[in-house]
Amino acid sequence: MSAFRIEFHFLGVIKMKALILVGGFGTRLRPLTLSVPKPLVDFANKPMILHQIEALKAIGVTEVVLAINYQPEVMLNFLKEFEKKLGIKITCSQETEPLGTAGPLALARDKLIDGSGEPFFVLNSDVISEYPLKEMISFHKGHGGEASIMVTKVDEPSKYGVVVMEETTGKVERFVEKPKTFVGNKINAGIYLLNPSVLDRIELRPTSIEKEVFPNIAAANKLYAMVLPGFWMDIGQPKDYITGLRFYLDSLRKRSSAELASGSHFIGNVLVDESAVIGDGCLIGPDVAIGPGCVIESGVRLSRCSIMRGVRIKKHACVSNSIIGWHSTVGRWARLENMTILGEDVHLGDEVYSNGGVVLPHKEIKSSILKPEIVM
Amino acid sequence: MEISEQKVVAVIMVGGPTKGTRFRPLSFNTPKPLFPLAGQPMVHHPISACKRISNLAQIFLIGFFEEREFTLYVSSISNELKIPVRYLKEDKPRGSAGGLYYFRNIIMEDNPSHIFLLNCDVCCSFPLTNMLEAHKRYGGMGTVSAETANQFGELVADPITKELLHYTEKPETFVSDLINCGLYIFTPDIFTAIQEVSTHREDQANLRHLSTFEALQSPTRAFPLDFVRLDQDILSPFAGKKQLYTYETMDFWEQIKTPGMSLKCSGLYLSQFRFTSPDLLAGGDGTRSALIVGDVYVHPSAKVHPTAKIGPNVSISANVRVGAGARLINCIVLDDVEVQENAVVINSIVGWKSSIGKWSRVQADGDYNAKLGITILGEAVMVEDEVVVINSIVLPNKTLNLSVQDEIIL
């Protein structure tokens, strides 16, 4: 009997998995999160979590597990729709008690390990970036360690957990939470690529990945960090959401500005959904996103703001540095600025001025808000 | 038909979800009519009062909430009181009288001779039997309960005949000092009256081809034909025609519009229990059970440590645990809350499943009408040990590890 040596050529069909840490109540993004769970809040005209799911799909991830602990029914409905559209399997892993930042990985263990030995991604749902996941896979295979994390450079590292690493290899030496003296300016970007063996280090109990798991792997010299190219933002609160929009649109401009609006009515980077209608004499931009079904009447000025689905901005209004929630209306000659946030179905009367008003859903506002205030 | 066989029904207007944003954050998870005052859902108080009327055939709750929000409550209260209580959901806004008219066939099922109409968010002694007697004496189509108050009163009544002479909604100048208490009795003629209003409106619309300018001026422009408001469309036009009368009361009366007022009204009902159902109130002298001061309600399933001191004006709901040395004054503590050792809660409402840490302090000035006069903790708020929360409102699912004052925490 002759021995045949058969070489298996992987046709690039490696099935990778990913876990997205969706977590809790999203209270920092209230009042928007009083209407939908945080991952479904739109960012640049797309639910936040869709940005991540699409990035994962693009590099061949076939299954995404969402680690959630809140409103699973709403999430599951949404997921069915996108499972079909995107052709990717999406499942939920629901915490019955808060498990911290590492516990959910243990909870989802059976979904993440399939015996193939392939590493899996873990993403934090509040983060937006360019998601250079292919580069991360190469980096991970290159160093041969157990876990890779993305880090990003920030101006004020003491606000976060700093990752101290060897510059050339990226080998992580240690984590320092909110350092009082300067130890480095790279922080955990919330994007990880982990070998299945990492799951053996995590018990099914409330556990912190930064305080317990990663330091252990670093001590064994098996944790490596890659500096995230491009922009990074944690958009879990409104001010950072607006800043993140600017970064995101800027990155769109650099890559394929076909999506961005162009014309004499637009300044800088502006994203307009194709079903939105914009009147005459408007000046829109920079850094504006206008969602599906919006009506922007004539003479409107919009800058640095996010206009969610179904919003109507009436004539001559002026909106800057604000977020306008789904199906709200802004009256004629109204002026909104300084992180005004309107929840779902909020109606601002004509000529109203809002300086940082935060308005909960289903309200009518007839008088001006002169200084930042929450309207319940 | 014998007078003693004349049946009576009661209709309680309970409102709906998007209308009442003033009751936030307590209304996020519970419909306002089911919010507990003195240990019982708000709507329970008018319902119990209705039960005291003789020949009461049915009680109807009319509102905009989804039926499933009321299913459990309605079936349990029907069982408990042995009288049919039904929730009827309005499909679209028809005004306070329009809603009543819409359900007239169901309301008239038992051929009642009189119909009580009550607002769920009124806190008072509900002197319904006396009011019915007065109504029968007057012999009119309807009787409105009224009270003298230091406000801009809407009702003008004849001091001798008690007839309603004049009614104006939200007057800006002085008209009278009699206010509408939101309790009414009608004979079935009311349905005819409501129908007349709709018909009249339809005729107006058909007869006149209004110019655009006229149409904008017309006060009924915005309302569809079947939208009939009790105040402007019935009380106002029928005043002075010997059809409507007033019944004056002197007892306590408040409207429960905000969480702050619900605390005040819970206290009013607790003090009323002292006279009507003293067995509902808690007692204790600090030896084998906690020291109780003033009027206090404690649900049978709640566990209060004997070294805690509770009251006056405290209402403790089901499964609450109050730890050693805790002090509660003028507050409502909702289901499943844990108040830990030596904590202090004053002039506050603590939401379902919340936790008040050891030596922490949750308090407010106690001004029921001020926006931040009563501290409100929404559902599942965790106040960590030794933290102080003063004059603040905290939305559900927040953890406070730093002290706050005069703030709304989203």
Side-chain angles (χ1 to χ4, degrees), chain A residues 56-362:
Chain A
L56 292 166
K57 162 94 180 146
I59 53 122
V61 166
T62 52
E63 184 174 344
V64 176
V65 183
L66 304 187
I68 60 178
N69 63 15
Y70 182 59
Q71 291 194 317
E73 326 81 37
V74 183
M75 290 300 297
L76 286 169
N77 279 339
F78 155 86
L79 301 177
K80 283 198 188 57
E81 203 194 310
F82 282 97
E83 256 187 330
K84 277 195 218 127
K85 270 197 209 153
L86 293 177
I88 186 172
K89 184 167 172 211
I90 307 177
T91 56
C92 282
S93 167
Q94 189 185 1
E95 296 166 52
T96 45
E97 46 147 0
L99 290 175
T101 45
L105 277 70
L107 186 65
R109 186 195 179 95
D110 293 333
K111 296 190 161 93
L112 294 170
I113 295 192
D114 59 4
S116 68
E118 286 299 319
F120 58 91
F121 283 102
V122 176
L123 305 187
N124 183 308
S125 71
D126 285 354
V127 164
I128 45 139
S129 74
E130 274 161 19
Y131 288 110
L133 303 177
K134 210 149 132 255
E135 290 87 319
M136 195 176 190
I137 296 176
S138 312
F139 174 76
H140 185 78
K141 299 208 146 83
H143 65 63
E146 201 183 358
S148 300
I149 65 174
M150 287 283 197
V151 291
T152 182
K153 195 163 104 157
V154 292
D155 290 334
E156 290 183 66
S158 322
K159 295 203 296 197
Y160 307 90
V162 174
V163 181
V164 181
M165 57 201 252
E166 222 177 81
E167 288 300 311
T168 41
T169 58
K171 185 147 76 78
V172 174
E173 290 166 24
R174 63 189 198 282
F175 279 77
V176 186
E177 269 295 304
K178 296 190 175 53
K180 301 241 164 44
T181 57
F182 186 86
V183 296
N185 57 8
K186 312 283 191 305
I187 62 156
N188 180 358
I191 301 170
Y192 321 136
L193 183 53
L194 310 176
N195 285 354
S197 55
V198 171
L199 290 173
D200 299 333
R201 298 180 185 268
I202 309 176
E203 286 171 27
L204 183 52
R205 59 173 177 82
T207 319
S208 162
I209 207 166
E210 283 195 355
K211 296 197 177 107
E212 296 172 63
V213 181
F214 283 156
N216 284 346
I217 308 179
N221 291 321
K222 293 190 178 166
L223 177 64
Y224 288 79
M226 172 180 167
V227 178
L228 178 68
F231 72 96
W232 178 89
M233 201 74 214
D234 174 341
I235 54 173
Q237 52 188 2
K239 193 161 69 73
D240 296 335
Y241 177 107
I242 294 291
T243 309
L245 184 60
R246 174 160 60 88
F247 289 161
Y248 177 85
L249 294 179
D250 188 57
S251 133
L252 271 191
R253 166 79 58 194
K254 287 181 185 139
R255 284 185 286 141
S256 68
S257 56
E259 273 183 75
L260 296 174
S262 57
S264 54
H265 292 313
F266 300 104
I267 297 182
N269 302 327
V270 176
L271 194 63
V272 182
D273 185 272
E274 53 188 20
S275 62
V277 170
I278 299 184
D280 301 321
C282 290
L283 190 54
I284 317 266
D287 304 322
V288 174
I290 298 176
C294 287
V295 176
I296 314 294
E297 294 184 4
S298 48
V300 166
R301 176 83 182 95
L302 302 178
S303 66
R304 291 176 242 283
C305 54
S306 178
I307 314 293
M308 305 281 193
R309 163 189 297 273
V311 165
R312 172 179 286 266
I313 313 258
K314 294 191 178 169
K315 294 184 181 162
H316 318 297
C318 178
V319 180
S320 70
N321 285 302
S322 299
I323 303 177
I324 312 299
W326 312 265
H327 306 294
S328 292
T329 58
V330 172
R332 284 177 282 241
W333 291 284
R335 189 184 176 99
L336 279 56
E337 57 190 24
N338 194 22
M339 290 320 303
T340 289
I341 321 248
L342 305 187
E344 180 189 12
D345 184 40
V346 169
H347 304 279
L348 232 73
D350 293 346
E351 296 142 28
V352 165
Y353 169 67
S354 165
N355 172 17
V358 176
V359 186
L360 265 62
H362 310 296

Side-chain angles (χ1 to χ4, degrees), chain B residues 138-199:
Chain B
Y138 303 140
M141 173 179 74
T143 300
V144 186
S145 77
E147 181 155 312
T148 310
N150 294 328
Q151 294 175 28
F152 291 98
E154 309 110 321
L155 309 173
V156 178
D158 183 299
I160 305 186
T161 65
K162 303 297 179 193
E163 190 202 337
L164 177 69
L165 297 177
H166 186 73
Y167 185 92
T168 179
E169 203 212 357
K170 295 190 177 73
E172 287 168 22
T173 58
F174 180 80
V175 170
S176 99
D177 58 6
L178 265 187
I179 56 167
N180 180 350
C181 290
L183 309 179
Y184 312 84
I185 298 179
F186 294 112
T187 57
D189 298 329
I190 184 65
F191 295 118
T192 319
I194 299 173
Q195 187 177 39
E196 271 173 26
V197 172
S198 302
T199 316

Side-chain angles (χ1 to χ4, degrees), chain A residues 25 27-28 30-31 34 70 345 358 360-363 373-376, chain B residues 18 21-22 24-25 28 371 380 393-398 408-410:
Chain A
F25 303 99
T27 63
R28 290 178 305 158
R30 284 172 172 167
L34 291 175
Y70 182 59
D345 184 40
V358 176
L360 265 62
H362 310 296
K363 300 284 303 177
E373 191 187 309
I374 296 175
V375 181
M376 279 218 294
Chain B
T18 50
T21 67
R22 289 172 71 185
R24 290 171 168 170
F28 281 138
K371 191 162 110 166
I393 298 177
V394 184
L395 258 63
N397 306 113
K398 296 296 294 185
I408 299 178
I409 313 268
L410 277 195

